Amino acid sequence: MKSALCSRFFILLPWILIVIIMLDVDPRRPAPQLTSRPYFSPHTVGCGGSRVPLRRSSLGRDAAEKRNESRPPLQPEPRLPTIYAITPTYSRPVQKAELTRLANTFRQVAQLHWILVEDRATRSELVSSFLERAGLPNTHLHVPTPRRYKRPWLPRATEQRNAGLAWLRQRHQHQSAQPGVLFFADDDNTYSLELFQEMRTTRKVSVWPVGLVGGRRYERPLVKNGKVVGWYTGWREDRPFAIDMAGFAVSLQVILSNPKAVFKRRGSQPGMQESDFLKQITTVEELEPKASNCTKVLVWHTRTEKVNLANEPKYHLDTVNIEV
């Protein structure tokens, strides 16, 4: 009896499910369209079937405008002051080696312009081709030192430094001077990259220690309460500015404001060129100590030693001519 009832129930079950599904479907209701994503029309239907554009809510727009008003306007980034490096140079066996070392340093300094001045009546092919490959903004000048000043006890590179100063003044003669700093970068010095960060903030004249100079491990300005009060030096402490050429930087504006400030030949004693120049543009009280109040050495007066060419043949014997 139970088996007969079960068999009848399973026979009728599919038909019961079909009847229920047919009763649940409304043939008058259109089937919904299948779309991959919802679509929102920019119009709504008005009276008579005409389409009226939808009005966007001003709430979101007002909120966005208020957010924009609350943000401060973007200010242009201040321009990095240009560092002008004046380098006197002259022909010698180690010239290219020292210029290469200097260029490798300068390439790592942002916004630097190299003014290279040769002690020659004309530009040399060696320096010209070197600068073409250096990958640095540069100006190549040349001016010879008069023969009468080529004495071991007389200052060197006077005419070359003055030529660099003249070029700077001429360049900015008819235009407003952009922020800039000048320093004298002799090709026999070694520079820490930190030094360029220090000098870039020079307002008038900044100073710092120099290593391996004056017969001592270093020379430096003595600083008290942020002001220069004296000099730690191994030679002539009575100099007004007992400092090496590598130990100071000057604002470009100061150079332009003092057009007659140059390095002198007449009346300048040996070792006094730095003092004679700085006296024309500043005072000791106005000096700006850098390098942690002049307690860090960031430049060294290294000087490449004189090379030994005793075995160099008198006449060129190699089959090729190699530039050194």
Side-chain angles (χ1 to χ4, degrees):
M1 184 68 179
K2 290 181 180 181
S3 60
L5 289 174
C6 288
S7 60
R8 291 177 182 177
F9 174 77
F10 284 112
I11 291 172
L12 294 174
L13 180 60
W15 294 101
I16 295 172
L17 293 175
I18 292 173
V19 172
I20 293 173
I21 292 172
M22 292 180 66
L23 292 176
D24 186 60
V25 174
D26 186 358
R28 292 173 299 177
R29 185 173 61 188
Q33 289 184 337
L34 296 178
T35 58
S36 58
R37 58 181 179 178
Y39 171 75
F40 299 97
S41 173
H43 300 84
T44 184
V45 179
C47 298
S50 63
R51 296 197 303 168
V52 181
L54 285 172
R55 293 184 179 179
R56 296 183 179 179
S57 173
S58 62
L59 182 62
R61 183 177 61 213
D62 293 342
E65 290 178 355
K66 287 182 180 179
R67 285 198 301 270
N68 292 333
E69 290 176 359
S70 63
R71 295 177 181 174
L74 294 176
Q75 298 293 335
E77 293 185 3
R79 181 174 178 178
L80 203 63
T82 301
I83 295 177
Y84 294 95
I86 295 180
T87 300
T89 187
Y90 63 99
S91 178
R92 60 200 190 279
V94 298
Q95 182 183 27
K96 186 177 180 181
E98 294 195 318
L99 291 178
T100 298
R101 181 182 66 239
L102 202 53
N104 289 340
T105 300
F106 287 169
R107 269 194 293 269
Q108 302 179 67
V109 182
Q111 201 70 19
L112 184 142
H113 189 105
W114 195 8
I115 306 171
L116 198 59
V117 191
E118 288 194 81
D119 186 355
R120 288 174 55 98
T122 59
R123 297 177 182 177
S124 68
E125 180 62 29
L126 184 148
V127 175
S128 296
S129 59
F130 171 81
L131 286 176
E132 288 178 1
R133 300 189 301 267
L136 281 164
N138 68 80
T139 297
H140 187 187
L141 306 175
H142 60 90
V143 58
T145 300
R147 186 183 297 273
R148 64 182 180 276
Y149 293 131
K150 291 187 176 183
R151 303 285 190 272
W153 60 87
L154 292 179
R156 303 184 65 175
T158 300
E159 287 73 23
Q160 289 72 40
R161 294 188 181 103
N162 286 339
L165 290 171
W167 179 87
L168 268 177
R169 288 167 175 143
Q170 184 178 7
R171 174 186 174 93
H172 297 281
Q173 182 179 6
H174 301 295
Q175 60 183 2
S176 58
Q178 299 295 331
V181 179
L182 162 70
F183 86 112
F184 299 97
D186 290 353
D187 58 7
D188 57 357
N189 292 340
T190 303
Y191 300 91
S192 166
L193 295 178
E194 187 179 348
L195 178 64
F196 301 97
Q197 299 175 11
E198 294 278 337
M199 73 170 68
R200 207 184 290 272
T201 58
T202 299
R203 296 187 301 273
K204 190 170 183 180
V205 179
S206 58
V207 293
W208 51 78
V210 178
L212 309 178
V213 68
R216 293 189 174 185
R217 292 191 304 122
Y218 63 88
E219 290 184 340
R220 74 180 187 96
L222 300 175
V223 179
K224 185 177 181 180
N225 297 326
K227 295 290 184 179
V228 175
V229 296
W231 310 93
Y232 177 81
T233 180
W235 184 76
R236 289 200 59 175
E237 297 182 10
D238 61 331
R239 286 177 290 164
F241 297 85
I243 193 170
D244 186 77
M245 195 69 70
F248 66 92
V250 185
S251 165
L252 176 61
Q253 190 58 51
V254 171
I255 295 296
L256 301 179
S257 301
N258 297 272
K260 295 183 179 181
V262 295
F263 291 92
K264 299 178 180 179
R265 279 290 188 186
R266 295 181 180 179
S268 181
Q269 301 177 16
M272 295 292 290
Q273 279 210 316
E274 295 88 349
S275 290
D276 291 342
F277 177 73
L278 291 173
K279 281 192 303 184
Q280 302 172 67
I281 59 176
T282 190
T283 63
V284 174
E285 292 75 21
E286 293 177 318
L287 295 178
E288 307 159 35
K290 299 293 184 181
S292 300
N293 275 333
C294 296
T295 59
K296 294 170 64 176
V297 174
L298 301 176
V299 55
W300 297 262
H301 203 42
T302 43
R303 292 188 179 181
T304 303
E305 68 176 358
K306 188 175 181 180
V307 295
N308 180 10
L309 298 178
N311 295 325
E312 184 72 8
K314 190 172 183 179
Y315 300 100
H316 192 71
L317 300 179
D318 197 355
T319 56
V320 295
N321 186 16
I322 297 179
E323 182 183 273
V324 179

